[in-house]
């Protein structure tokens, strides 16, 4: 009998297939004691396992490339954290085996992360994965992982670690469903990059029996269990219609009546450029430069290394915009040479621009590298600061850009509600705004972007979030300046129409989403988008806003 379940759709497309569950294993070692004379041997076993796991994660990152590589390299750094290793060795000296020492040290750190709120709690799944890999290696048991199968399937898991998601084979994994996670979790971002339909935050997904046939709609978040022939036909027809629209979609982004909406790509570095070019990205709307800094948490990359990376991206878009976000360190991206280890609530503390203003030499080097990279290039470099709260922040950043001799447009990220409420004040100091809807939702609703239990508050269709977007866009229009969106909200084709109707001037997203957004925008006039935006804002819930916008666009 057909039943319908609803989670959060995070990656477009429809997948129909049999359920296969992520493999599991008991990875809690016994708590037995070892003689003192065996401590050195156990310490060496622990060190070796850590290095092997870190090497494996880096190798997986090299194979995956792009954003996945940065995520996995960050996990490798987590495995090698010197404070964690010191705690492991203390526990071994107290009589624990290597595997038990690792298990307990990670458990202690896990408790700290889980209680830290915001971004840090969102790293718990990554930490658990690193712990499991080290303990499994020490115990000589297989790591839980993607099941072996000769036929395609839909993968079901409690959550997917980045190391698993990054190397999924789309030829075998038709789609995936997880009980946890949110629309901005690592797994969701990587699923979009892979082009694999995915639904997250689906309660009790693990109870779906092995071999059950399900249909996963990564756009709506619906999972149909034992779908009828009619439902399958309906989904397949919708998918075919969508594919036909994609095939006929090319060129710059615009509404059907010619209102231009540049469609840009979010990237983590030069490795992401080919995918962006392949789908016709008109430029880069968000270059996350922090990935350059993750190779070594103890020091910033050299000016020369930065120049090389920035120039490679600028050269790829000789006639387009490349919007570079300067280093966003802190919270879930701690760097040993920049961020304090004992900050009680990192996401609400010294993060982003605040960190850079506390370390002006790091900001100066990055801005100088950007200036050198842009010299002689025909593209349009724009530079923006993360976590701008007010005009004082904006002025400090603009002054730093001028002092570095940077001849580029200077902008500010709108991720803090104060910036969205007073955009005209900030625009007295900078030339454009870019909305980071992931963090803007997190701070507006006090809802950790990585926690599935509060995912409804991270839904970018929340009317209060749309109000903040409208406030920013209205302020930019009044000042005669631009206001783009570079958060994950831009990757939702229907929401892209609403954002356009709210007055947003450009949309930036993962490359895989650009064809979907381009095709959807081309169906409607600007006036239709404006009516859909007004209808969405008139609602009180995210689901109501989504339904109202769809009805307004369809004319019903």
């Amino acid at each position: 009998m057909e039943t319908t379940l609803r989670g959060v759709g995070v990656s477009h497309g429809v997948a129909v297939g049999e359920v296969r569950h992520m493999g599991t294993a008991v990875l809690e070692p016994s708590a037995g004691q070892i003689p003192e004379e065996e401590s050195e041997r156990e310490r060496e076993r622990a060190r070796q396992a850590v290095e092997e796991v870190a090497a494996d994660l880096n190798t997986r990152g090299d194979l995956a490339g792009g954003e996945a590589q940065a995520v996995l390299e960050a996990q490798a750094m987590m495995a090698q954290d010197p404070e964690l290793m010191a705690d492991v060795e203390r526990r071994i000296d107290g009589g624990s085996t290597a595997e038990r020492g690792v298990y307990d040290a990670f458990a202690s750190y896990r408790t700290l992360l889980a209680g830290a709120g915001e971004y840090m709690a969102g790293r718990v799944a990554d930490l658990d994965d690193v712990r499991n890999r080290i303990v499994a290696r020490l115990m000589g048991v297989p790591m839980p992982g993607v099941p072996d199968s000769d036929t395609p399937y839909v993968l079901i898991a409690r959550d997917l670690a980045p190391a698993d998601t990054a190397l999924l084979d789309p030829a075998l994994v038709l789609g995936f469903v997880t009980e946890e996670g949110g629309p901005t979790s690592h797994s969701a971002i990587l699923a979009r990059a892979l082009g694999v339909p995915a639904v997250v935050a689906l309660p009790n997904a693990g109870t779906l029996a092995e071999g059950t046939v399900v249909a996963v709609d990564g756009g709506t978040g619906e999972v149909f269990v034992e779908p009828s022939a009619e439902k399958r036909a309906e989904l397949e027809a919708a998918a075919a219609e969508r594919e036909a629209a994609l095939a006929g979609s090319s060129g710059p982004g615009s509404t059907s009546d010619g209102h231009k909406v540049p469609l840009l790509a979010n990237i983590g570095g030069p490795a992401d450029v080919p995918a962006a070019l392949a789908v016709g990205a008109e430029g880069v709307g968000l270059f996350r430069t922090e990935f350059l800094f993750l190779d070594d948490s103890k020091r910033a990359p050299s000016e020369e290394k930065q120049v090389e990376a920035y120039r490679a991206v600028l050269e790829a878009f000789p006639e387009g915009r490349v919007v570079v976000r300067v280093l966003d360190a802190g919270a879930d991206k701690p760097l040993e040479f920049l961020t304090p280890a004992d900050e009680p609530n990192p996401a609400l503390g010294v993060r982003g621009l605040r960190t850079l203003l506390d370390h002006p030499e790091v900001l100066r080097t990055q801005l100088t590298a950007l200036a050198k990279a842009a010299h002689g290039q025909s593209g349009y470099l724009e530079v923006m600061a993360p976590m701008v709260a007010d005009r004082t922040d904006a002025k400090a950043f603009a002054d730093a850009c001028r002092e570095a001799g940077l001849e580029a447009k200077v902008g500010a990220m709108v991720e803090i509600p104060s910036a969205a409420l007073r955009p005209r004040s900030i625009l007295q100091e900078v030339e454009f705004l870019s909305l980071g809807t992931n963090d803007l939702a997190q701070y507006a609703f006090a809802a950790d972007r990585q926690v599935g239990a509060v995912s409804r508050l991270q839904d970018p269709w929340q009317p209060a979030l749309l109000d903040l977007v409208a406030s920013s866009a209205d302020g930019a229009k009044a000042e005669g300046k631009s206001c783009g969106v570079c958060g994950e909200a831009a990757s939702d084709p229907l929401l892209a129409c609403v954002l356009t109707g709210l007055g947003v001037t450009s949309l930036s997203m993962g490359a895989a989403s650009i064809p979907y957004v381009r095709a959807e925008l081309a169906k409607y006039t600007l006036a239709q988008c404006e009516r859909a935006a007004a209808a969405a804002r008139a609602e009180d819930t995210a689901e109501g806003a989504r339904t109202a916008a769809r009805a307004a666009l369809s004319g019903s």
Side-chain angles (χ1 to χ4, degrees):
M1 177 179 171
E2 179 182 314
T3 57
T4 304
L5 307 175
R6 183 179 290 279
V8 178
V10 296
S11 184
H12 304 296
V14 173
V16 180
E18 292 187 357
V19 163
R20 295 285 183 274
H21 286 268
M22 176 70 78
T24 59
V26 177
L27 291 175
E28 180 173 358
S30 65
Q33 295 285 296
I34 60 168
E36 183 178 347
E37 60 268 20
E38 293 183 13
S39 294
E40 179 53 38
R41 186 195 69 181
E42 293 297 289
R43 286 197 299 270
E44 180 55 34
R45 285 182 66 228
R47 287 191 289 266
Q48 184 175 344
V50 164
E51 292 306 315
E52 288 173 352
V53 166
D56 177 64
L57 289 167
N58 282 320
T59 298
R60 286 169 177 261
D62 291 341
L63 290 171
E67 290 189 24
Q69 182 172 7
V71 171
L72 292 172
E73 287 175 350
Q75 268 198 298
M77 288 170 56
M78 186 182 285
Q80 295 171 303
D81 183 279
E83 290 187 18
L84 260 174
M85 196 61 218
D87 191 14
V88 170
E89 293 188 344
R90 280 194 297 271
R91 293 173 188 275
I92 291 173
D93 288 342
S96 292
T97 61
E99 42 266 67
R100 189 71 207 189
V102 168
Y103 186 88
D104 288 341
F106 273 73
S108 177
Y109 192 43
R110 186 187 199 280
T111 300
L112 291 174
L113 283 184
E118 301 289 347
Y119 280 118
M120 297 304 283
R123 299 280 71 79
V124 166
D126 293 359
L127 185 73
D128 286 348
D129 180 59
V130 172
R131 177 203 63 204
N132 286 346
R133 291 177 185 279
I134 297 171
V135 172
R137 193 170 289 268
L138 286 165
M139 293 176 67
V141 301
M143 254 303 296
V146 177
D148 290 328
S149 177
D150 296 328
T151 57
Y153 58 90
V154 173
L155 181 62
I156 307 292
R158 181 174 181 182
D159 201 356
L160 282 170
D164 295 316
T165 315
L167 296 181
L168 290 179
D169 181 356
L172 282 177
V173 182
L174 302 171
F176 66 76
V177 179
T178 66
E179 291 190 14
E180 299 182 355
T184 58
S185 65
H186 281 151
S187 291
I189 293 170
L190 295 176
R192 285 188 284 270
L194 287 166
V196 176
V199 171
V200 302
L202 181 72
N204 301 315
T207 62
L208 291 168
E210 190 88 1
T212 303
V213 175
V214 296
V216 179
D217 190 328
T220 66
E222 293 172 305
V223 175
F224 304 94
V225 183
E226 299 291 358
S228 64
E230 291 77 13
K231 175 58 69 176
R232 283 198 190 198
E234 177 188 328
L235 291 170
E236 287 167 1
E241 181 182 343
R242 189 157 42 216
E243 289 302 316
L246 292 179
S249 171
S250 62
S254 71
T255 58
S256 63
D257 56 341
H259 174 73
K260 294 189 180 304
V261 186
L263 302 181
L264 312 171
N266 294 344
I267 68 169
D272 293 332
V273 166
L277 293 173
V279 296
E282 297 170 59
V284 172
L286 173 61
F287 183 168
R288 301 182 180 95
T289 60
E290 58 269 18
F291 293 146
L292 287 169
F293 290 73
L294 293 176
D295 287 342
D296 186 347
S297 67
K298 296 182 180 180
R299 62 183 65 83
S302 67
E303 182 181 299
E304 292 74 19
K305 181 178 179 180
Q306 292 189 55
V307 169
E308 182 182 358
Y310 305 147
R311 184 172 291 151
V313 176
L314 286 163
E315 288 174 346
F317 295 94
E319 298 177 0
R321 296 166 60 201
V322 174
V323 184
V324 176
R325 181 178 70 190
V326 294
L327 175 64
D328 183 11
D332 69 329
K333 292 167 288 211
L335 293 170
E336 195 173 322
F337 68 97
L338 280 183
T339 49
D342 56 352
E343 195 166 16
N345 197 335
L348 298 180
V350 182
R351 178 194 166 190
L353 179 61
R354 300 166 188 174
T355 300
L356 292 173
L357 294 177
D358 278 354
H359 297 82
E361 71 287 353
V362 175
L363 177 58
R364 188 181 310 112
T365 298
Q366 184 168 27
L367 294 175
T368 301
L370 283 163
K372 289 183 178 180
H375 183 70
Q377 299 294 319
S378 58
Y380 303 98
L381 173 66
E382 301 182 12
V383 182
M384 61 186 181
M387 304 299 292
V388 172
D390 57 14
R391 183 173 179 174
T392 299
D393 279 351
K395 183 178 188 304
F397 181 63
D399 288 347
C401 290
R402 283 190 287 269
E403 290 169 9
L406 191 63
E407 296 178 3
K409 279 190 175 182
V410 176
M413 290 283 290
V414 177
E415 302 162 285
I416 301 173
S418 60
L421 292 169
R422 296 184 62 83
R424 297 187 68 176
S425 174
I426 288 171
L427 285 167
Q428 302 311 301
E429 305 294 342
V430 297
E431 298 169 86
F432 69 93
L433 301 177
S434 185
L435 286 146
T437 52
N438 307 343
D439 271 320
L440 187 57
Q442 174 170 249
Y443 291 123
F445 294 102
D448 189 331
R449 56 189 280 189
Q450 300 289 342
V451 175
V454 293
S455 62
R456 77 172 185 85
L457 296 172
Q458 267 292 327
D459 191 326
W461 281 94
Q462 285 283 357
L465 183 63
L466 298 181
D467 288 345
L468 292 173
V469 173
S471 173
S472 303
D474 288 346
K477 183 178 181 181
E479 294 295 327
K481 296 180 178 180
S482 63
C483 176
V485 168
C486 64
E488 291 300 316
S491 65
D492 179 334
L494 181 62
L495 185 52
C497 296
V498 168
L499 295 172
T500 299
L502 292 173
V504 165
T505 55
S506 65
L507 299 167
S508 190
M509 65 208 77
S513 298
I514 289 177
Y516 292 94
V517 172
R518 183 191 291 121
E520 192 74 6
L521 272 176
K523 295 179 183 178
Y524 307 108
T525 64
L526 176 60
Q528 286 177 297
C529 293
E530 290 172 342
R531 285 196 293 273
R537 290 183 68 194
E539 296 295 321
D540 294 320
T541 67
E543 187 54 39
R546 187 182 288 107
T547 300
R550 188 176 287 114
L553 288 173
S554 66
S556 59

